[in-house]
Amino acid sequence: MLTVQRQIRESDMSSTRTETDGFGPIEVPGEALWGAQTERSRRHFAIGTQRMPIELVHALAEVKRAAADVNGELGLLEAGKAAAVSAAAARVAAGEFDAEFPLSVWQTGSGTQSNMNTNEVIASLASLALGGGLGADRTVHPNDDVNLGQSSNDVFPTAMHVAAVLRTRPLLAALGRLRAALQAKAVTFADTIKIGRTHLQDATPITLGLEFGGYDAQLAIAEHALRQALPAVHALAIGGTAVGTGLNTHAQFGRRVAATLAQRLDAPFVVADNLFAAMAGHEALVVLHGALRTLAIALTKVANDIRLMGSGPRAGLGELHLPENEPGSSIMPGKVNPTQVEALTMVCAQVMGHDVAIGVAASQGQFELNVYKPLIAFDVLDSLRLLADAMDSFAAHCVEGIEVDLPRMQELLGRSLMLVTALAPHIGYDRAARIAKHASTHRTSLQEAALSVGGLSVEQFDAWVDPRHMLGPR
């Protein structure tokens, strides 16, 4: 069996062309738009199956497009060439050439090879548009023209931030839809009284609406944290070039590129106050992902509560009927499982794991550059995508279809010993505790225990022990 490396070297090589870079000539698949540096990375980093996220490639292309426009405006790039590069970058950003980006996430820690992959594809497209060819016949240079005024060290982190901002939008939209579904259930269940639980043991009564309102409030905290994290992500490293000094770029370049991106992508992008920090560290993305971790924690709690309330249907709590979407067992006929809960909580576990990896990676900034950028980018974007998809699925296929088993809920409420709490203001804590212990020991109802212990009448018990009167302050 061929190794992965040999498969890559030998695939698509029936027709080749020669490309050249600083390391000399190399054969590239004949129809490929990429060039020598992409091909070297494709061969030398055949690691795993994870590819550089396409959202990051699209963000890189948006940066290249803005850079070409600015370089044309500043007179640093001939007008026709600037227009061709900008148009080519726009097509890449729109996803027309996604197959031209084959590189692994596990490559150079600066993302240089993916930056060059983008430069080479855009250069090839611009060259063809201007009547040139590929390889030695290319009339647009990947470095001198497409990468003009830039370095991988400032462009790649800029693209990381742009991609994160763009991916946060669908996540916030999905979170809004899930919160709306929870809020609707809170209204629907506003008068549905059930037994509360603490320590997984019976507690005093609560309404199901209050519980669902609490779930929404937990997610609101996570949403607030996300929105608070975004301003730092709007700050871009563009203009810093190699080490943050701006060597080989125009003094206005970074500011103009950020302004172009802000206008084009409808986001308040600006140049970071400190370009050295923007390239050497990734605290902004650490904070953003920390908010995603908070969201994952809240979602896990919400999903597990719903899972437990729907457990059974006959040997569990069975208070809720969860939507039955598909068979749950290959051997047990009729079994249905809380699969949406399981999918959501697995996603949340993955996000929590990503947070650990991002923290470790972000700590590895030595001097002027963090060199774990692809890992950080991959995990942040993966978390954003997974959480958005999982929340939409959970809202549509679980929360919106939840129904109450009212007889079961009333049965559990009536059997709870913690209704005795209503007696404490009238007969004292110690006597109320003796009643609860008597009911538990002799397996009687609370009323029967109260009458056996003595000291109050049936009428007093019924007047004082009413779940409807136990939902708030006296």
Side-chain angles (χ1 to χ4, degrees):
M1 180 180 293
L2 293 176
T3 64
V4 173
Q5 286 83 356
R6 284 185 60 201
Q7 287 176 9
I8 287 175
R9 288 189 180 96
E10 296 175 10
S11 65
D12 303 321
M13 288 298 188
S14 57
S15 172
T16 65
R17 69 174 191 273
T18 302
E19 288 270 354
T20 303
D21 61 7
F23 278 72
I26 188 171
E27 293 301 302
V28 173
E31 300 301 316
L33 294 174
W34 67 74
Q37 293 197 46
T38 301
E39 186 62 26
R40 293 188 194 283
S41 180
R42 195 170 80 109
R43 298 186 188 193
H44 296 157
F45 295 94
I47 303 172
T49 59
Q50 298 94 338
R51 296 291 172 259
M52 189 62 67
I54 202 62
E55 300 97 330
L56 185 61
V57 171
H58 295 165
L60 278 167
E62 289 287 3
V63 177
K64 301 298 174 181
R65 181 185 179 191
D69 292 340
V70 170
N71 281 324
E73 293 166 4
L74 293 172
L76 302 176
L77 190 60
E78 184 270 322
K81 190 174 285 189
V85 171
S86 178
R91 295 180 69 189
V92 171
E96 289 187 45
F97 300 97
D98 290 353
E100 297 291 332
F101 298 91
L103 298 190
S104 172
V105 167
W106 316 113
Q107 55 167 274
T108 174
S110 62
T112 298
Q113 290 150 4
S114 281
N115 180 42
M116 285 308 304
N117 186 183
T118 307
N119 288 334
E120 289 174 344
V121 170
I122 291 172
S124 293
L125 289 169
S127 175
L128 293 171
L130 293 173
L134 302 177
D137 298 324
R138 188 188 290 122
T139 58
V140 176
H141 197 280
N143 298 81
D144 296 339
D145 298 324
V146 183
N147 202 61
L148 179 61
Q150 306 151 59
S151 164
S152 299
N153 296 352
D154 66 343
V155 166
F156 198 84
T158 294
M160 289 167 66
H161 280 217
V162 170
V165 168
L166 296 181
R167 278 301 316 175
T168 300
R169 292 173 179 173
L171 176 121
L172 287 171
L175 177 54
R177 288 187 287 271
L178 176 55
R179 289 191 59 198
L182 292 169
Q183 291 163 10
K185 291 299 178 182
V187 172
T188 300
F189 302 144
D191 298 323
T192 304
I193 303 175
K194 55 163 290 191
I195 194 64
R197 296 181 179 90
T198 59
H199 303 267
L200 287 180
Q201 305 296 308
D202 295 353
T204 54
I206 191 172
T207 68
L208 187 59
L210 285 172
E211 285 187 324
F212 273 78
Y215 301 152
D216 173 56
Q218 287 181 274
L219 299 188
I221 293 171
E223 180 175 346
H224 178 72
L226 273 167
R227 295 188 185 278
Q228 290 292 104
L230 278 174
V233 187
H234 291 136
L236 307 180
I238 194 69
T241 63
V243 294
T245 61
L247 176 68
N248 286 359
T249 197
H250 192 283
Q252 297 181 30
F253 177 79
R255 178 178 58 80
R256 288 198 181 198
V257 169
T260 300
L261 289 168
Q263 188 276 329
R264 187 167 283 152
L265 301 177
D266 190 26
F269 291 120
V270 294
V271 173
D273 291 336
N274 190 305
L275 294 176
F276 300 94
M279 295 159 59
H282 288 296
E283 285 73 21
L285 292 177
V286 172
V287 172
L288 177 69
H289 200 275
L292 297 181
R293 176 177 176 271
T294 300
L295 176 58
I297 289 169
L299 287 169
T300 299
K301 194 272 183 186
V302 171
N304 278 331
D305 275 10
I306 290 173
R307 185 207 314 250
L308 288 170
M309 282 189 282
S311 62
R314 296 190 176 182
L317 297 182
E319 294 176 324
L320 298 181
H321 291 307
L322 306 187
E324 298 182 354
N325 299 316
E326 67 279 311
S329 172
S330 62
I331 189 173
M332 292 176 280
K335 194 173 194 300
V336 179
N337 297 325
T339 50
Q340 289 296 319
V341 169
E342 292 163 4
L344 177 60
T345 51
M346 282 193 290
V347 162
C348 292
Q350 181 70 41
V351 170
M352 294 180 206
H354 282 346
D355 198 66
V356 174
I358 288 168
V360 172
S363 73
Q364 299 303 307
Q366 288 86 32
F367 300 111
E368 278 66 61
L369 191 68
N370 175 286
V371 290
Y372 285 62
K373 297 184 194 299
L375 183 155
I376 295 170
F378 181 85
D379 283 357
V380 168
L381 294 174
D382 194 48
S383 291
L384 286 165
R385 185 187 311 108
L386 286 174
L387 284 170
D389 290 350
M391 286 190 294
D392 267 340
S393 185
F394 185 64
H397 302 302
C398 184
V399 176
E400 292 175 5
I402 288 175
E403 296 178 353
V404 174
D405 187 331
L406 194 56
R408 174 63 173 167
M409 192 168 280
Q410 291 173 337
E411 176 195 358
L412 294 176
L413 176 64
R415 289 168 48 191
S416 173
L417 299 181
M418 290 305 99
L419 297 181
V420 78
T421 307
L423 293 176
H426 302 282
I427 65 174
Y429 183 94
D430 290 339
R431 281 185 63 198
R434 285 199 297 274
I435 291 171
K437 185 173 180 61
H438 185 280
S440 177
T441 301
H442 295 87
R443 296 185 178 277
T444 67
S445 71
L446 199 59
Q447 185 187 72
E448 290 171 330
L451 297 176
S452 295
V453 171
L456 72 163
S457 66
V458 171
E459 291 75 20
Q460 287 174 316
F461 183 92
D462 289 343
W464 294 337
V465 183
D466 186 338
R468 294 172 299 177
H469 300 155
M470 298 178 68
L471 299 173
R474 293 169 56 193

